[in-house]
Amino acid sequence: MTTTLKFETAKAANLEEAITEAITEARTTCELDGSNSAGCAVAWDIVEELQAEKAHQQQAKPNKTSLENYCDRHPASVECLIYDV
């Protein structure tokens, strides 16, 4: 059994679903081909790559400061005004 999961379809919104599908497919592949087969190794490599991408995306998100969060909720407050000098 060959793995047909494509990385292009695994976008941020579908990444968790793609990981779940890849795990299911990897388990099926290993069950059919044997745990020492090349197909099994490839299937688990795909799972690992998807999980690494998820971790990378989570790490790439910038954390907002409390002032930035406040200004998002109250853009007209004095603390959030930006002046050009």
Side-chain angles (χ1 to χ4, degrees):
M1 177 177 228
T2 60
T3 306
T4 59
L5 185 63
K6 295 183 180 181
F7 291 119
E8 295 85 20
T9 60
K11 300 296 179 193
N14 300 333
L15 197 52
E16 190 65 38
E17 183 179 324
I19 290 171
T20 304
E21 289 175 11
I23 290 172
T24 303
E25 189 169 341
R27 287 179 178 158
T28 303
T29 301
C30 293
E31 199 172 288
L32 294 175
D33 296 348
S35 60
N36 293 329
S37 68
C40 180
V42 169
W44 285 112
D45 283 344
I46 290 172
V47 171
E48 184 179 343
E49 289 294 325
L50 289 170
Q51 290 173 334
E53 178 61 25
K54 179 182 175 187
H56 176 72
Q57 286 180 2
Q58 288 175 342
Q59 191 176 29
K61 291 180 184 176
N63 292 332
K64 288 187 174 185
T65 64
S66 57
L67 178 62
E68 290 171 328
N69 289 331
Y70 176 80
C71 289
D72 286 344
R73 291 188 310 266
H74 311 294
S77 68
V78 175
E79 296 87 355
C80 301
L81 297 177
I82 299 174
Y83 298 99
D84 290 328
V85 284

